[in-house]
Amino acid sequence: MKKRVLSGIRATGKLHLGNYLGAVKGMLALQDDPGYETLFMVADLHSINSPYDPKTFQESVRSVVIDYLSAGLDPEKSTIFVQSHVPEHIELSYLFSSVLTVARMLHLPTYKDKLKEDAENANMAMLYYPVLMASDILIYKANEVPVGDDQLPHLEISREVARKMNEKFGTNFPEPTQFKTQGHSVPSLTGEGKMSKSVEGSFIALTDELETIRKKLASVPTDSGKGEKVPTEGGVATLLKFVELFMGAEKRQEYENAYVREGIRYSELKNALAESIYKELEPIQNKRKELESSPAFVNQVIKDGAEKAGAIAKETLVEVKEKMGLI
Ligand code: TYM
């Protein structure tokens, strides 16, 4: 039997290189592997726990579907759907919440960070986030989850839920694991932390033009270009990581060698890098333009996706309700 794959991206703004390298590239690799059945969703329900605009929200949801299709997700091979179109996710998540303690949820780094940064908006949906995510994954009995490292604490909750449900109620949930890509942890352009939608100046969007990419790279902090040891953190480390991801490990080695010998000229590195990044994004941007003028096709993908995903989700939900004595 084929192994299942499930992943999702929130509809909270433009997709960036972190999303692309950490998640979408993994989705693409698994979609093209005949050993897997792949399901990819827009996590709209996971997007409403931070302030958002209901008026433009549908556009944001659609935009992620268009990003998926532009990047190469293929509705002939993958089920592409919107989370809230399969309401069984929510029902199952409530059942799961009975095997998780509030104390465990309060200890998750995402919630703790939110509490520190923006306590007023640390709502119940935020606390409940990993429970719903466990349901997203386990409702399809997915084995592999292509996500970046920031999602590992949430994935751990899914594994715990699977174990507890199996122990308590005799279900047969697999313990899902991360499908790790080369870009499983893409650093921020600021040189601090990871690339993130919520940090201005930290990201390159998939829709950025060459000039914008050039400008963004120009602002990455650097040093004199020369030293005894190649930096392992900060802006220079970020640039070298991008060189590795977009120009290859050999090119990175060349720059590293230059750093400890004659020195790096960052203007040259940044230019070459901007071009390499744009070369990868250009076909995605062209595909996006095409899809923006085919709304009927996009609608059909979303509708078919909900049907296909819904059929699997319904089956799991009935099975769990039976095991839990609810029917
Ligand atoms: P979201 O929308 O925050 O991020 C989408 C995906 O992008 C990855 N990512 C990164 N990877 C590497 N480096 C980075 N700098 C970087 N920034 C973001 C994230 O790890 C993620 O894979 N909770 C999820 C959405 C979700 C989901 C799910 C995922 C809901 N249910 C079930 C998988 C399975 C999220 O907030 O993603």
Side-chain angles (χ1 to χ4, degrees), residues 6-12 16 18-23 41 43 46 83 129 132-133 136-137 145-151 154 183-187 194-197:
L6 180 285
S7 192
I9 293 184
R10 286 176 303 157
T12 48
H16 56 66
N19 305 135
Y20 176 64
L21 298 166
M41 59 169 205
H46 276 114
Q83 185 185 29
Y129 192 112
L132 181 58
M133 184 160 156
D136 296 335
I137 299 168
V145 185
V147 283
D149 289 358
D150 59 301
Q151 296 298 317
H154 297 153
H184 54 91
S185 179
V186 177
K194 64 161 192 128
M195 183 173 283
S196 157
K197 287 179 213 183

Coordinates of all heavy atoms in Angstrom, one line a residue, residues 6-12 16 18-23 41 43 46 83 129 132-133 136-137 145-151 154 183-187 194-197, ligand 1:
L6 N 0.8 14.3 4.0 CA -0.1 15.5 4.2 C 0.8 16.7 4.6 O 1.7 16.5 5.4 CB -1.2 15.2 5.2 CG -2.2 16.2 5.6 CD1 -1.7 17.4 6.5 CD2 -2.9 16.8 4.4
S7 N 0.5 17.8 4.0 CA 1.1 19.0 4.5 C 0.2 20.2 4.2 O -0.7 20.1 3.4 CB 2.5 19.2 3.9 OG 3.2 20.3 4.6
G8 N 0.5 21.3 4.8 CA -0.3 22.5 4.6 C 0.5 23.8 4.8 O 1.5 23.8 5.5
I9 N 0.0 24.9 4.3 CA 0.6 26.2 4.5 C -0.6 27.2 4.8 O -1.7 27.1 4.2 CB 1.3 26.7 3.2 CG1 2.5 25.7 3.0 CG2 1.7 28.1 3.3 CD1 3.4 26.1 1.8
R10 N -0.3 28.1 5.7 CA -1.3 29.0 6.1 C -1.5 30.1 5.1 O -0.6 30.4 4.3 CB -1.0 29.7 7.5 CG -1.1 28.8 8.6 CD -0.6 29.4 9.9 NE 0.8 29.8 9.7 CZ 1.3 30.8 10.5 NH1 0.7 31.5 11.3 NH2 2.6 31.1 10.3
A11 N -2.7 30.7 5.1 CA -3.0 31.8 4.1 C -2.8 33.1 4.8 O -3.7 33.8 5.0 CB -4.5 31.6 3.6
T12 N -1.6 33.4 5.1 CA -1.3 34.6 5.9 C -0.4 35.6 5.1 O 0.3 36.3 5.7 CB -0.6 34.2 7.2 OG1 0.4 33.3 7.0 CG2 -1.6 33.6 8.2
H16 N 7.1 32.6 0.8 CA 8.5 33.0 0.7 C 9.4 31.8 0.5 O 9.0 30.7 0.5 CB 8.9 33.9 1.9 CG 8.7 33.2 3.2 ND1 9.4 32.1 3.6 CD2 7.9 33.5 4.2 CE1 9.0 31.8 4.8 NE2 8.1 32.6 5.2
G18 N 11.5 30.4 2.4 CA 11.4 29.5 3.5 C 10.3 28.4 3.3 O 10.5 27.2 3.4
N19 N 9.1 28.9 3.0 CA 8.0 28.0 2.7 C 8.3 27.1 1.5 O 8.0 25.9 1.5 CB 6.7 28.8 2.3 CG 6.3 29.8 3.4 OD1 6.0 30.9 3.0 ND2 6.3 29.4 4.6
Y20 N 8.9 27.7 0.5 CA 9.2 27.0 -0.8 C 10.3 25.9 -0.5 O 10.1 24.7 -0.9 CB 9.7 28.0 -1.8 CG 10.2 27.4 -3.1 CD1 9.3 26.7 -3.9 CD2 11.5 27.5 -3.6 CE1 9.7 26.1 -5.1 CE2 11.9 26.9 -4.8 CZ 11.0 26.2 -5.5 OH 11.4 25.7 -6.7
L21 N 11.4 26.3 0.1 CA 12.5 25.3 0.3 C 12.2 24.3 1.4 O 12.5 23.2 1.3 CB 13.8 26.1 0.6 CG 14.3 27.0 -0.5 CD1 15.4 27.9 0.0 CD2 14.8 26.2 -1.7
G22 N 11.5 24.8 2.5 CA 11.3 23.9 3.6 C 10.1 23.0 3.4 O 10.1 21.9 3.9
A23 N 9.1 23.5 2.7 CA 7.9 22.7 2.6 C 7.5 22.3 1.1 O 7.5 21.1 0.8 CB 6.7 23.5 3.2
M41 N -2.8 20.9 1.6 CA -4.0 21.8 1.8 C -3.5 23.2 2.1 O -2.4 23.5 2.4 CB -4.8 21.3 3.0 CG -3.9 21.2 4.3 SD -4.9 20.8 5.7 CE -3.8 21.5 7.0
A43 N -4.1 25.8 4.9 CA -4.5 25.7 6.3 C -5.2 27.0 6.7 O -4.7 27.9 7.4 CB -3.3 25.5 7.2
H46 N -6.0 27.5 10.3 CA -4.9 27.9 11.1 C -4.4 29.3 10.9 O -3.5 29.8 11.5 CB -3.7 26.9 10.8 CG -3.7 25.6 11.5 ND1 -3.9 24.4 10.9 CD2 -3.6 25.4 12.8 CE1 -3.9 23.5 11.8 NE2 -3.7 24.0 13.0
Q83 N -8.5 23.4 3.9 CA -8.7 22.7 5.1 C -10.2 22.8 5.6 O -10.8 21.8 5.9 CB -7.8 23.3 6.2 CG -7.8 22.7 7.5 CD -7.0 23.6 8.5 OE1 -6.8 24.8 8.3 NE2 -6.3 23.0 9.4
Y129 N -4.0 25.1 18.2 CA -3.4 25.0 16.9 C -2.8 23.6 16.7 O -3.1 22.9 15.7 CB -2.3 26.1 16.9 CG -1.6 26.3 15.6 CD1 -1.8 27.6 14.9 CD2 -0.8 25.4 15.0 CE1 -1.2 27.8 13.8 CE2 -0.1 25.7 13.8 CZ -0.3 26.9 13.2 OH 0.3 27.2 12.0
L132 N -5.4 20.7 16.2 CA -6.0 20.7 14.8 C -5.0 20.2 13.8 O -5.3 19.5 12.9 CB -6.5 22.2 14.5 CG -7.1 22.3 13.1 CD1 -8.3 21.4 12.9 CD2 -7.5 23.8 12.8
M133 N -3.7 20.6 14.0 CA -2.7 20.1 13.1 C -2.5 18.6 13.2 O -2.4 17.9 12.1 CB -1.4 20.8 13.4 CG -0.3 20.5 12.4 SD 1.0 21.7 12.4 CE 2.4 20.7 11.8
D136 N -5.3 17.2 11.2 CA -5.0 17.4 9.7 C -4.2 16.2 9.2 O -4.5 15.7 8.1 CB -4.2 18.7 9.4 CG -4.9 20.0 9.8 OD1 -6.1 20.0 9.8 OD2 -4.1 20.9 10.1
I137 N -3.2 15.8 10.0 CA -2.3 14.8 9.5 C -2.9 13.4 9.7 O -2.9 12.6 8.8 CB -1.0 14.9 10.3 CG1 -0.3 16.3 10.1 CG2 0.0 13.8 10.0 CD1 0.8 16.6 11.0
V145 N 5.4 14.1 6.6 CA 4.9 15.4 6.6 C 6.0 16.4 6.1 O 7.0 16.6 6.9 CB 4.4 15.8 8.0 CG1 3.8 17.2 7.9 CG2 3.4 14.8 8.5
P146 N 6.0 16.9 4.9 CA 7.0 17.8 4.5 C 6.8 19.2 5.1 O 6.0 19.9 4.7 CB 6.9 17.8 2.9 CG 5.6 17.3 2.6 CD 5.1 16.5 3.8
V147 N 7.6 19.5 6.1 CA 7.5 20.8 6.8 C 8.9 21.2 7.2 O 9.8 20.4 7.3 CB 6.7 20.7 8.1 CG1 5.2 20.8 7.8 CG2 7.0 19.6 9.0
G148 N 9.1 22.5 7.5 CA 10.3 23.0 8.0 C 10.5 22.7 9.5 O 9.6 22.3 10.1
D149 N 11.7 22.9 10.0 CA 12.0 22.6 11.4 C 11.2 23.3 12.4 O 11.0 22.8 13.5 CB 13.5 22.9 11.7 CG 14.5 22.0 11.0 OD1 14.0 21.0 10.3 OD2 15.7 22.2 11.1
D150 N 10.7 24.5 12.0 CA 9.9 25.2 13.0 C 8.6 24.5 13.4 O 8.0 24.8 14.4 CB 9.5 26.6 12.5 CG 8.7 26.5 11.2 OD1 9.3 25.9 10.2 OD2 7.6 27.0 11.1
Q151 N 8.2 23.5 12.6 CA 7.0 22.8 12.8 C 7.2 21.5 13.6 O 6.3 20.8 14.0 CB 6.3 22.4 11.5 CG 5.8 23.6 10.7 CD 4.7 24.4 11.5 OE1 3.8 23.9 12.1 NE2 4.9 25.7 11.5
H154 N 5.2 20.9 16.8 CA 3.8 20.5 16.5 C 3.7 19.1 16.0 O 2.8 18.4 16.3 CB 3.2 21.4 15.4 CG 3.2 22.9 15.8 ND1 3.3 23.9 14.9 CD2 3.1 23.4 17.0 CE1 3.2 25.1 15.6 NE2 3.1 24.8 16.9
G183 N 16.5 22.5 2.4 CA 16.2 23.8 3.0 C 15.3 23.7 4.2 O 14.3 24.5 4.3
H184 N 15.5 22.8 5.1 CA 14.6 22.6 6.2 C 14.6 23.7 7.2 O 13.7 23.8 8.1 CB 14.8 21.2 6.9 CG 16.2 21.0 7.4 ND1 16.6 21.4 8.6 CD2 17.3 20.6 6.7 CE1 17.9 21.1 8.7 NE2 18.4 20.6 7.6
S185 N 15.6 24.5 7.2 CA 15.7 25.7 8.1 C 16.3 26.9 7.4 O 17.6 27.0 7.4 CB 16.4 25.3 9.3 OG 16.5 26.4 10.2
V186 N 15.5 27.7 6.7 CA 16.0 28.8 5.9 C 16.2 30.0 6.7 O 15.3 30.5 7.4 CB 15.1 29.1 4.7 CG1 15.6 30.2 3.9 CG2 14.9 27.8 3.8
P187 N 17.4 30.5 6.8 CA 17.7 31.7 7.7 C 17.1 33.0 7.1 O 16.8 33.1 6.0 CB 19.2 31.8 7.7 CG 19.7 31.1 6.4 CD 18.6 30.1 6.1
K194 N 15.1 32.8 11.7 CA 14.7 32.2 10.4 C 13.9 33.1 9.6 O 13.3 34.1 10.1 CB 13.9 30.9 10.7 CG 12.6 31.1 11.4 CD 11.6 30.0 11.3 CE 10.3 30.4 11.7 NZ 9.1 30.2 10.9
M195 N 13.8 32.8 8.3 CA 13.0 33.6 7.4 C 11.5 33.5 7.8 O 11.1 32.3 8.0 CB 13.2 33.1 6.0 CG 12.5 33.9 4.9 SD 12.9 33.4 3.2 CE 14.5 34.2 3.0
S196 N 10.8 34.6 7.9 CA 9.5 34.5 8.4 C 8.6 35.6 7.8 O 9.1 36.7 7.6 CB 9.5 34.6 9.9 OG 8.3 35.1 10.4
K197 N 7.3 35.2 7.5 CA 6.4 36.2 6.9 C 6.2 37.4 7.8 O 5.9 38.5 7.4 CB 5.0 35.5 6.8 CG 4.9 34.5 5.7 CD 3.5 34.0 5.7 CE 3.5 32.5 5.2 NZ 2.3 31.8 5.0
Ligands
TYM1 P1 3.3 28.0 7.8 O1 2.3 28.6 7.0 O2 3.8 28.9 9.0 O3 4.6 27.6 7.0 C1 4.4 26.8 5.9 C2 5.6 25.8 5.7 O4 6.8 26.6 5.5 C3 7.8 26.2 6.4 N1 8.7 27.2 6.7 C4 10.0 27.1 6.7 N2 10.9 26.1 6.4 C5 12.2 26.3 6.4 N3 12.7 27.5 6.7 C6 11.9 28.6 7.1 N4 12.5 29.8 7.4 C7 10.5 28.4 7.1 N5 9.5 29.2 7.3 C8 8.4 28.5 7.1 C9 7.0 25.7 7.6 O5 7.8 24.8 8.4 C10 5.9 25.0 7.0 O6 6.2 23.7 6.6 N6 1.3 24.8 11.0 C11 1.7 24.9 9.6 C12 0.5 24.7 8.7 C13 -0.2 23.4 8.9 C14 0.4 22.1 8.6 C15 -0.7 21.2 9.0 C16 1.6 21.7 8.1 C17 -1.4 23.3 9.4 N7 -1.7 21.9 9.5 C18 -0.5 19.8 8.9 C19 1.7 20.3 8.0 C20 0.7 19.4 8.3 C21 2.2 26.4 9.4 O7 2.0 27.2 10.3 O8 2.8 26.6 8.4

